[in-house]
Amino acid sequence: MTEVAAPAAPDGPLPERLARAIALAGPIPVSQFMAAANAHYYATRDPLGAAGDFVTAPEISQMFGELVGLWCADLWDRAGRPDAAWVELGPGRGTLAADALRAMARAGFRPPVHFVETSPVLRAAQAGAVPAASWHDAVGTLPTDRALLIVANEFFDALPIRQLVRRQEGWHERLVGCQDTLFLPIAGKPVPDAVIPDSLRDAPPGAILEVSPAAVGVTRDLAARIAAQGGALLAIDYGHGGPALGDTLQAVRGHGFANPFDRPGDQDLSAHVDFGTLAAAAQAAGTVAWGPIAQRDLLGGLCIDQRTASLARRHPDRADALLADRGRLMDAMGTLFRALAITAPGWPTPAAFGE
Ligand code: SAH
């Protein structure tokens, strides 16, 4: 566990450091490029909101965090109210946490709060929203003596992916090379066929398969903890019930899409989350996996319509805005985003994931 820390002084601008590393040692895997770019990106700014690069569901409406909090409190209650900590992975500005904690407290659930966050800038924002939280660089230092109720919104999509490209003769790792100051993807060494799922192995030339050892590793570690200690994980993100083919690596800057190989460290890189593979990893580690279901089914199942109506009754001047926010969460984002839940063996069916 670490305190809120000052940003480390980087050794020159990131594009120059990456170009130098590539010139010295050759092209690097997409995963290494993405890891370096996002670490720098998140460490040096608050990317959220109108003045930033993108807006997330908890920043659109307080209802999102409140409903996620109620999901946690309800599950904890039906599990028999065990000793538990509440954990958020990549909490951004701490908005979801503040909204969730308020809703959970009303339901009688007041757990200690643990944040897994690497960005010093965002840790400072989170400390403003939830002063009593404890911070972790990674999931390994989370408490071991109690159940863990873990939430992650738009966290897994920021973790590095490897891209594997099908060429005529077989599959290759996609690398990032550098010409002058231009970064560009190139095909690298062949990868063994065994790495590719059977059903996708014979894809046509040009096909791309994305895999995220980082996301699978975090899921496996958390699932092992949940299996041993009790608890659950709710992960919400762009994603699919894969594995599936497709190039989903994308860059967002100033609320628009950009070339992901441009300006490393200066734009947000993300990729769709392969929830099917994460669910399989969670099951292999001894937990029960639920979904993925569409975000609209999650929020609908948690009664977002009743929450919208009750807030509108209390704040009639904001009724139109509340309805518009509800629409943003349920319509476009509602089908693009999905939710995966994992629970400890013997824990009840999580709300919105049952029949
Ligand atoms: N959950 C927030 C923020 C999403 S942005 C929201 O919905 O608004 C992604 C978040 O994950 C940021 O807080 C970022 O700093 C954090 N993050 C990205 N990569 C990380 C990593 N490898 N370890 C820990 N946190 C990470």
Side-chain angles (χ1 to χ4, degrees):
M1 201 180 305
T2 55
E3 299 300 318
V4 176
D11 174 23
L14 180 66
E16 283 162 33
R17 279 186 285 142
L18 281 174
R20 210 159 49 228
I22 291 170
L24 282 173
I28 56 175
V30 167
S31 52
Q32 197 178 326
F33 180 85
M34 185 175 177
N38 269 357
H40 182 84
Y41 175 79
Y42 283 108
T44 49
R45 78 207 68 205
D46 172 356
L48 297 160
D53 290 323
F54 58 96
V55 175
T56 55
E59 300 297 332
I60 290 173
S61 169
Q62 70 183 75
M63 294 188 286
F64 187 82
E66 289 170 348
L67 295 175
V68 166
L70 289 176
W71 184 92
C72 295
D74 165 68
L75 192 60
W76 167 80
D77 180 54
R78 287 186 292 118
R81 303 190 159 219
D83 268 349
W86 191 79
V87 177
E88 188 176 354
L89 313 178
R93 290 178 171 169
T95 309
L96 185 159
D99 293 333
L101 292 167
R102 201 175 54 245
M104 293 192 300
R106 280 201 296 265
F109 184 33
R110 293 181 185 79
V113 177
H114 293 263
F115 287 154
V116 178
E117 174 62 68
T118 42
S119 160
V121 173
L122 290 173
R123 279 188 180 201
Q126 292 154 19
V130 186
S134 305
W135 280 265
H136 303 255
D137 289 327
V139 300
T141 52
L142 290 170
T144 52
D145 62 345
R146 57 192 63 215
L148 300 175
L149 284 142
I150 306 167
V151 167
N153 186 61
E154 292 213 44
F155 167 77
F156 284 100
D157 70 349
L159 299 184
I161 53 155
R162 292 175 68 188
Q163 286 192 326
L164 307 173
V165 188
R166 172 78 208 203
R167 302 183 75 185
Q168 202 67 52
E169 74 288 2
W171 288 88
H172 294 250
E173 172 120 33
R174 203 179 199 195
L175 303 177
V176 182
C178 185
Q179 272 177 356
D180 303 323
T181 53
L182 202 66
F183 295 95
L184 70 182
I186 57 174
K189 287 197 295 264
V191 294
D193 268 4
V195 171
I196 313 295
D198 289 350
S199 57
L200 304 177
R201 211 167 278 165
D202 294 326
I208 289 186
L209 173 68
E210 296 175 338
V211 295
S212 179
V216 171
V218 168
T219 304
R220 188 189 290 146
D221 291 352
L222 291 176
R225 293 292 210 92
I226 288 169
Q229 297 169 219
L233 164 73
L234 178 63
I236 304 165
D237 239 305
Y238 290 101
H240 54 82
L245 298 173
D247 180 357
T248 74
L249 180 65
Q250 66 174 36
V252 170
R253 189 171 70 233
H255 301 269
F257 291 111
N259 175 347
F261 299 104
D262 260 1
R263 298 171 61 165
D266 204 26
Q267 47 189 17
D268 176 61
L269 292 184
S270 65
H272 287 201
V273 174
D274 175 357
F275 284 120
T277 296
L278 299 189
Q283 283 164 338
T287 54
V288 184
W290 308 83
I293 62 173
Q295 174 169 304
R296 62 176 307 146
D297 294 329
L298 174 71
L299 299 179
L302 298 172
C303 302
I304 191 172
D305 290 336
Q306 287 85 331
R307 184 71 189 132
T308 312
S310 111
L311 281 171
R313 270 196 306 278
R314 262 194 287 145
H315 308 280
D317 52 315
R318 283 175 44 211
D320 288 346
L322 284 160
L323 265 183
D325 293 345
R326 178 211 164 274
R328 284 180 76 185
L329 296 178
M330 294 291 279
D331 300 341
M333 287 180 92
T335 47
L336 196 55
F337 281 73
R338 281 168 219 259
L340 172 76
I342 70 176
T343 54
W347 273 49
T349 301
F353 285 86
E355 296 311 315

